[in-house]
Amino acid sequence: MSPLLEVHDLHVEIPVPHGHLHAVRGVSLTVDAGESIGVVGESGSGKSITLRALLGLLPQPAQVTKGSIVLDGVDVTGLPERRRTKVLTDAMSMIFQDSLTALNPVMRVGDQIAEVPRRRLGMSKSAAHARAVELMDQVGIPEPERRFRAYPHQLSGGMRQRVCIAIALSAEPRLILADEPTTALDVTIQAQVLEVIDRLRRDRRLGVILVSHDLAVISQTCSRIYVMYAGRVIESGRIGDLLALARHPYTFALLRAVPDPDLPVHRLLTIPGQPPDLAAVPAGCSFAPRCAFAEPGCYEVDPALTPVPDDPDHASACIRVETAPQWLDWTPADVLDLVEKT
Amino acid sequence: MTVTVDKPPRTHGTDEVLGVEGLVQHFIGRRSWTDRLTRTPEHVVKAVDGVDLTLATGETLGLVGESGCGKSTLSRCIMGLYQPNAGQVRYAGEPVRGLPTRAQRRTVQMVFQDPYSSLNPRMTVGQTLGELLRYHRIVPRNQVAARSHELMDLVGLPHDALRRTPRQFSGGQRQRIGIARALALQPRVLIADEPVSALDVSVQATIINLLTDLRESLGLSMVFVSHNIAVVRQVSDRIAVMYRGRIVETGPTEQIFNDPRHPYTQLLLASVPRMLSSTTDGHPIDATESLGTADPLAVVDGEPDADESPYSAHAIEGEHGCRYRPRCPVAMPACVDEPGLLPIAHDPTRAAACWHVDDDRKDEPR
Amino acid sequence: MTVISVPGSATDTVVPTTRRRRKHNVLLIVGLTLFGLLVLAAILAPVLASHDPIQQDLANARLAPGSPGHLLGTDELGRDIYSRLLYGARIDLRVGVLAVVSPFIIGTVLGLVSGWFGGWLDTVIMRIVDVVVAFPFFVLVIALVFALGAGTGSIYVAITMVGWVAYCRIVRGEVLVAKEQEYALAARASGLPTWRILFRHLLPNVVLQAVIYSMSDIVLTILAIVTLGYLGLGVPPPTPDWGSMIQDGQQFLLTQWYLATIPGIAVVITGLALALIADGLVDRFDRR
Ligand SMILES: Nc1ncnc2c1ncn2[C@@H]1O[C@H](COP(=O)(O)OP(=O)(O)OP(=O)(O)O)[C@@H](O)[C@H]1O
Ligand SMILES: Nc1ncnc2c1ncn2[C@@H]1O[C@H](COP(=O)(O)OP(=O)(O)OP(=O)(O)O)[C@@H](O)[C@H]1O
Ligand code: SF4
Ligand SMILES: [Mg+2]
Ligand SMILES: [Mg+2]
């Protein structure tokens, strides 16, 4: 059986006053039905642009310049624009970070949920209403009948995000794209919203692409993970492998830059410098100038995403992909050294 | 593999550098004349509703709580940016009456949350620092430039940063400038209101490390406000958990993490997303299997509507009883009386505002 | 306090400033050049003019542009239009600019104070603003000029008394936004005196909108003078000004269209120059 969604070598360019901003530079990913994959990376690494390219909803001047999107084994890339957008939006829905701006402030939330069943699926008014209430119930909104008539500003952030999820579900998608769905929420509420998304994935065998900058959130909700840096996937694999055996220095550093809530004071690893300007990406590995392990070769070739020797599911785009395992033997003192060096 | 730096516990003096007593800050919503005609009562937001705090020399207090619980309001009251309705703020044991005096301003300084809006876009970094150094007469006029250079060194920025305007810096660099501005007055206390929340994870780490280093090298006391409990644990000696305008639990960081006493603190700690431990690696994940967040407690349903007063993140006029009661899984009839901060029997350094404070202690000999 | 340089502090590279405002600001340059030329023409009027602007010559009345000796023709009294245009610029630009300066200053300061302090001060100032705004601009100006007596002096006073409200409202609105920005809080937190926060920190950040408005206000003022001229309350004849030239020319619109059109074009060019400057200023200084 072919995966639900396959993306091959996606490139997105955005024309800017002096040249082209290469926002996405060859991203490939796959999602199966009932699978949840995570995309992490720092701000500006192209996570949102990738998602929007999948839906055909890129911001104005941006354009997909290369790559293919295969949905259920059917390559939709060649379809005429209107038809492609329809096929893609029928199969996928998106949840955004800011639920307050994602909702129409002057429309009752229930009507916003009922809109798609009514307009696109052609349900009667009462059937659409019943459907909306059912969806609200499914995403865990208590007293859905009463809240049907609420306006967005009358609901708390967590409730609003659930409304957004209900709207996303109303089109009966098979894949949900969630762009930082919980970043604006408090931790206690975040846990609930993630739980809702995860339950839907299990119950409806939905595919989920969850974008976040929080590795812990991803590790709790996804089975596979893609780490993006400067418009590329630089490491991907099953979540456990990746967390335990990170092969790419960026992932390695990222994992140690976040404080662990369960550990007392520990020195955090920092990543010096800044990501490259995507309008003029230098030759070689784009992480090289910031990399603690860079060697002269890193400035010459940009390493491709290569499977790790004994794990075909785990790939890393680092020149040291072969030798990297030895990091595992590093003692805390070695890492401390690294901390002092950076 | 994680690195734990073994440091001897830092010793602090017991003398108080900052004290807050019974602080109350209410915001009264605007009433239109139609509201007045129809006698609609005023909408009072009790952003800070009776807070007591003390900060000892060299100590870092972490202030955590959900969005809207009044953390920023409290910090601003401490800075004298609001005139509280009641209560007192003391700088180095000396009460602040009305606005802090020029000398008092130098005791307590603040680092703001948003590195993008907290610097004046039309002044260069050098002008910003120079103005403060001159107005507060920190150094003689002819040494202002030298002192500015020192400040740049202190926060790890190049000297030529002084000639640039804030827009030419990244978020992390701006936050360094914000820290330099606060340090220009040589304060004894630094109030940091979510100093890293607006920053990328990797940049966050550099700022946390910088604050930790400065605290050590300059002997600063700090109030570190954040909603990120992992970050707070990282920097604080003591923690105060705030819920709807009031402190509901306080105590030394480690004790609170090991044995939270207030149900809200328990929920907060249980909800923090945790990195999957490496023990599950290689374990095949079934599409129907739940990967959901750890604790069922985290999914307690009691989440508020924004318009329903008893459930909002801040307290508003006319409610009574424990403020956590509407969400509390262990509420009982006694909870219609609001508990104050009750001491925890076995540990005098801790207190929690819950009638269950001494129930089923983890460390109790059974 | 000793300085310890912090190990492990990342000295990130400074972000290069590649912003569109770094480009040559064409709008601003063109606008300023155009306006500069107008001002130059006004200053050099005695040198540039070919005739005495008030010298009548009824024998050569209403000559078409391009007539020998009269570059842009003559008006109904045989006065040289080109020369009158130049001398008109002296009056109009001076009155236009000067009549905007004092409302600008008064309105900005009151708006700053009103927005910052709020409370009863704000209430009082805003009530006065409401009262002034309640009357149509021209009605109030005309009434005031009428009460004060015709002449440029009264025009200044009347326009100042009415015009400051616009600046006051603009600046107050900007201050209400800016004072909640963290940089304003930071300035307060570091204990700087209020006047310094207001004029050093807030003013440069809020004044841009007022400056932009003043550009169109100059044109409006010139038009106000035209209107006042209509009622005989403007610049007393025979002093040339563009307003009275347009008004005088209007009666001949069907036969000698250029009599009203040429000074009209002068007003339009002035307006254009100021609009370009305003746009250029936005590009150059708007930090949002
Ligand atoms: N409308 C746009 N016009 C020009 N450049 C854009 C636009 N939208 C995004 N970009 C650029 O494309 C790159 C990728 O942006 P994207 O929004 O995908 O990042 P992201 O990974 O989602 O970051 P974040 O975590 O901040 O949301 C960035 O360099 C960004 O500056
Ligand atoms: N100037 C104000 N006028 C009216 N209400 C205010 C004002 N400032 C804050 N509030 C209200 O007071 C409550 C506490 O706000 P505060 O900003 O202190 O919360 P916070 O804990 O800092 O939240 P966050 O984590 O979102 O920053 C909120 O309900 C807020 O809406
Ligand atoms: S006092 Fe009662 S309601 Fe409040 S937290 Fe404790 S048990 Fe819950
Ligand atoms: Mg994004
Ligand atoms: Mg806050």
Side-chain angles (χ1 to χ4, degrees):
Chain A
M1 202 185 80
S2 56
L4 179 57
L5 175 79
E6 271 185 277
V7 179
H8 291 293
D9 199 26
L10 185 76
H11 286 255
V12 178
E13 290 189 15
I14 307 175
V16 286
H18 17 259
H20 283 265
L21 197 146
H22 213 146
V24 177
R25 307 183 295 141
V27 164
S28 304
L29 39 86
T30 54
V31 199
D32 278 319
E35 187 190 36
S36 170
I37 65 159
V39 180
V40 289
E42 68 194 293
S43 187
S45 56
K47 308 181 296 293
S48 302
I49 296 281
T50 305
L51 287 203
R52 296 180 66 164
L54 294 186
L55 269 176
L57 295 178
L58 283 174
Q60 234 326 295
Q63 257 183 343
V64 176
T65 49
K66 199 173 156 203
S68 64
I69 300 174
V70 181
L71 197 66
D72 285 323
V74 182
D75 191 339
V76 299
T77 327
L79 296 178
E81 166 110 37
R82 302 257 311 264
R83 171 111 188 84
R84 184 179 64 226
T85 309
K86 169 141 178 47
V87 170
L88 291 175
T89 47
D90 277 354
M92 317 182 216
S93 300
M94 187 138 166
I95 306 169
F96 295 92
Q97 170 177 348
D98 185 355
S99 59
L100 195 57
T101 56
L103 293 172
N104 181 345
V106 295
M107 197 171 164
R108 297 183 192 279
V109 294
D111 291 330
Q112 299 188 48
I113 302 172
E115 202 175 15
V116 170
R118 204 154 142 58
R119 310 269 169 247
R120 256 170 65 190
L121 311 180
M123 288 187 185
S124 73
K125 193 165 180 202
S126 57
H129 181 108
R131 177 91 186 105
V133 172
E134 186 192 328
L135 283 168
M136 289 170 84
D137 189 47
Q138 280 180 14
V139 296
I141 297 179
E143 301 182 68
E145 277 290 355
R146 184 170 68 78
R147 292 215 167 80
F148 187 94
R149 289 191 307 278
Y151 288 96
H153 69 91
Q154 294 174 325
L155 298 179
S156 65
M159 283 298 164
R160 278 200 304 265
Q161 197 53 283
R162 286 171 209 230
V163 169
C164 291
I165 299 175
I167 292 175
L169 289 178
S170 67
E172 304 279 345
R174 279 167 302 145
L175 184 64
I176 294 263
L177 313 181
D179 193 358
E180 314 231 9
T182 57
T183 308
L185 304 176
D186 286 312
V187 274
T188 56
I189 314 296
Q190 161 171 294
Q192 300 172 10
V193 170
L194 291 175
E195 170 67 25
V196 167
I197 295 179
D198 197 52
R199 205 187 61 233
L200 292 167
R201 173 187 68 83
R202 276 176 278 137
D203 296 352
R204 302 173 158 230
R205 288 190 56 78
L206 277 177
V208 176
I209 303 183
L210 184 72
V211 166
S212 176
H213 58 255
D214 189 341
L215 271 163
V217 164
I218 299 273
S219 86
Q220 288 290 335
T221 42
C222 302
S223 49
R224 279 187 309 115
I225 181 172
Y226 294 83
V227 183
M228 285 187 71
Y229 183 78
R232 295 191 56 192
V233 172
I234 48 95
E235 186 159 12
S236 68
R238 282 191 305 273
I239 186 86
D241 299 343
L242 205 120
L243 294 185
L245 313 166
R247 298 295 183 109
H248 197 285
Y250 176 68
T251 320
F252 184 82
L254 198 59
L255 283 169
R256 282 151 192 83
V258 225
D260 185 332
D262 296 324
L263 284 179
V265 181
H266 51 283
R267 188 82 190 172
L268 302 173
L269 195 61
T270 60
I271 310 176
Q274 274 157 6
D277 177 7
L278 291 175
V281 190
C285 171
S286 46
F287 187 58
R290 306 174 69 185
C291 181
F293 304 93
E295 48 184 80
C298 297
Y299 292 91
E300 280 151 29
V301 282
D302 195 1
L305 197 62
T306 324
V308 166
D310 38 47
D311 184 356
D313 289 336
H314 185 176
S316 162
C318 174
I319 203 166
R320 292 165 168 269
V321 65
E322 307 277 341
T323 54
Q326 74 202 37
W327 294 346
L328 298 177
D329 309 327
W330 280 28
T331 58
D334 292 329
V335 180
L336 207 65
D337 258 5
L338 187 64
V339 169
E340 292 305 328
K341 264 204 319 220
T342 52
Chain B
M1 174 177 51
T2 322
V3 200
T4 310
V5 185
D6 283 328
K7 283 205 200 98
R10 295 186 306 124
T11 46
H12 342 276
T14 41
D15 51 328
E16 168 198 291
V17 274
L18 179 73
V20 171
E21 216 176 281
L23 197 76
V24 174
Q25 173 72 58
H26 292 180
F27 292 111
I28 296 171
R30 270 205 172 201
R31 287 203 309 170
S32 61
W33 59 271
T34 45
D35 288 344
R36 277 178 221 196
L37 273 185
T38 55
R39 302 261 164 94
T40 312
E42 283 174 335
H43 184 76
V44 180
V45 171
K46 298 181 178 179
V48 173
D49 196 24
V51 165
D52 302 305
L53 279 180
T54 53
L55 187 70
T57 310
E59 183 186 41
T60 299
L61 175 76
L63 188 62
V64 283
E66 66 189 323
S67 178
C69 70
K71 306 183 295 293
S72 298
T73 307
L74 177 58
S75 326
R76 288 173 185 186
C77 286
I78 294 176
M79 287 309 299
L81 295 175
Y82 293 146
Q83 288 303 303
N85 301 54
Q88 193 186 53
V89 176
R90 289 185 306 269
Y91 289 177
E94 194 186 316
V96 178
R97 295 204 176 76
L99 289 174
T101 61
R102 204 195 276 203
Q104 283 176 326
R105 286 282 187 207
R106 288 188 49 183
T107 319
V108 182
Q109 276 298 305
M110 184 155 177
V111 178
F112 289 83
Q113 168 171 4
D114 183 0
Y116 294 92
S117 78
S118 62
L119 298 168
N120 188 337
R122 294 195 193 273
M123 284 170 83
T124 64
V125 176
Q127 285 170 338
T128 304
L129 296 180
E131 177 183 40
L132 294 179
L133 295 174
R134 275 189 285 269
Y135 176 72
H136 285 279
R137 303 202 187 91
I138 308 285
V139 289
R141 276 174 183 265
N142 56 7
Q143 285 169 34
V144 166
R147 180 73 200 139
S148 304
H149 286 162
E150 286 173 11
L151 285 166
M152 288 290 102
D153 291 338
L154 206 57
V155 297
L157 286 173
H159 289 182
D160 66 350
L162 289 170
R163 288 198 307 274
R164 298 166 195 258
T165 54
R167 62 179 299 112
Q168 300 173 25
F169 295 96
S170 68
Q173 290 171 323
R174 288 182 198 208
Q175 204 53 297
R176 287 170 191 270
I177 298 169
I179 294 170
R181 174 179 57 193
L183 293 179
L185 300 191
Q186 301 175 328
R188 296 178 61 193
V189 183
L190 210 57
I191 313 257
D193 185 6
E194 311 242 14
V196 297
S197 315
L199 304 174
D200 237 351
V201 197
S202 54
V203 186
Q204 223 172 42
T206 65
I207 299 295
I208 293 173
N209 285 350
L210 173 65
L211 283 173
T212 318
D213 293 335
L214 288 172
R215 192 185 61 180
E216 302 280 319
S217 57
L218 305 178
L220 285 172
S221 312
M222 202 152 80
V223 177
F224 190 97
V225 180
S226 179
H227 60 256
N228 185 335
I229 229 168
V231 170
V232 165
R233 175 171 205 174
Q234 175 69 28
V235 298
S236 321
D237 306 308
R238 209 150 58 82
I239 285 183
V241 181
M242 201 166 173
Y243 187 72
R244 297 179 66 193
R246 201 171 266 192
I247 308 288
V248 294
E249 179 156 9
T250 115
T253 307
E254 285 320 300
Q255 274 90 317
I256 288 198
F257 270 85
N258 293 336
D259 177 26
R261 300 310 313 178
H262 195 281
Y264 177 65
T265 316
Q266 290 165 4
L267 173 66
L268 203 60
L269 291 179
S271 315
V272 179
R274 283 172 165 81
M275 210 76 87
L276 200 69
S277 73
S278 51
T279 48
T280 47
D281 71 0
H283 163 69
I285 287 167
D286 177 11
T288 54
E289 184 190 344
S290 168
L291 295 162
T293 20
D295 204 304
L297 187 63
V299 201
V300 167
D301 193 45
E303 201 210 330
D305 269 8
D307 61 338
E308 278 173 31
S309 51
Y311 301 99
S312 51
H314 53 262
I316 71 164
E317 196 64 51
E319 42 181 34
H320 57 93
C322 171
R323 51 198 66 212
Y324 190 55
R325 191 165 49 125
R327 288 172 77 177
C328 184
V330 292
M332 52 184 182
C335 301
V336 293
D337 288 327
E338 173 151 33
L341 265 183
L342 307 172
I344 291 170
H346 61 290
D347 189 346
T349 58
R350 301 186 55 188
C354 172
W355 295 121
H356 287 292
V357 62
D358 271 328
D359 293 2
D360 54 80
R361 291 205 321 256
K362 267 194 211 155
D363 51 351
E364 204 171 32
R366 300 230 162 103
Chain C
M1 189 160 73
T2 48
V3 175
I4 297 124
S5 77
V6 182
S9 69
T11 310
D12 325 10
T13 46
V14 170
V15 190
T17 47
T18 45
R19 288 284 191 283
R20 95 196 138 103
R21 59 195 96 248
R22 283 275 163 240
K23 274 192 328 193
H24 288 297
N25 197 324
V26 183
L27 294 178
L28 196 57
I29 292 171
V30 173
L32 284 175
T33 312
L34 209 53
F35 196 69
L37 288 176
L38 285 167
V39 171
L40 205 64
I43 293 170
L44 297 180
V47 183
L48 297 174
S50 51
H51 294 74
D52 183 340
I54 49 180
Q55 179 65 53
Q56 302 186 0
D57 179 6
L58 291 173
N60 285 320
R62 292 194 256 154
L63 291 180
S67 312
H70 295 286
L71 193 59
L72 294 174
T74 57
D75 67 3
E76 76 279 11
L77 296 176
R79 294 173 295 197
D80 181 52
I81 293 182
Y82 167 67
S83 307
R84 284 180 70 75
L85 214 49
L86 288 172
Y87 277 95
R90 297 191 122 191
I91 301 280
D92 285 304
L93 293 182
R94 194 183 69 218
V95 179
V97 172
L98 285 184
V100 161
V101 170
S102 43
F104 179 90
I105 295 173
I106 294 173
T108 303
V109 171
L110 287 179
L112 211 52
V113 168
S114 174
W116 181 263
F117 292 103
W120 63 265
L121 193 62
D122 184 38
T123 312
V124 170
I125 294 177
M126 289 329 282
R127 283 301 89 79
I128 299 174
V129 168
D130 287 346
V131 170
V132 176
V133 170
F135 294 95
F137 178 76
F138 281 120
V139 172
L140 209 51
V141 171
I142 290 165
L144 284 168
V145 176
F146 199 73
L148 295 165
T152 42
S154 322
I155 295 180
Y156 291 145
V157 175
I159 289 183
T160 304
M161 286 172 73
V162 183
W164 67 274
V165 294
Y167 296 96
C168 183
R169 284 179 141 189
I170 293 171
V171 170
R172 177 178 174 270
E174 295 273 313
V175 169
L176 287 182
V177 176
K179 83 172 183 182
E180 291 305 321
Q181 296 270 306
E182 284 186 344
Y183 70 83
L185 288 176
R188 283 169 63 198
S190 49
L192 296 174
T194 305
W195 62 266
R196 190 169 175 100
I197 299 177
L198 276 179
F199 290 95
R200 184 78 179 89
H201 291 254
L202 242 51
L203 186 62
N205 285 293
V206 299
V207 83
L208 180 65
Q209 291 305 321
V211 172
I212 289 164
Y213 176 76
S214 73
M215 294 295 141
S216 54
D217 203 25
I218 294 176
V219 182
L220 284 180
T221 308
I222 293 176
L223 294 178
I225 301 167
V226 175
T227 315
L228 289 172
Y230 241 91
L231 301 169
L233 293 172
V235 185
T239 316
D241 91 289
W242 297 344
S244 48
M245 289 171 76
I246 296 175
Q247 189 208 343
D248 293 344
Q250 255 179 5
Q251 14 176 343
F252 307 100
L253 213 49
L254 292 180
T255 46
Q256 280 86 24
W257 55 270
Y258 52 86
L259 287 183
T261 311
I262 291 172
I265 291 174
V267 175
V268 170
I269 291 176
T270 311
L272 183 71
L274 293 169
L276 286 173
I277 294 176
D279 279 355
L281 287 175
V282 174
D283 273 6
R284 178 78 181 77
F285 291 109
D286 199 359
R287 300 271 153 110
R288 280 173 296 200

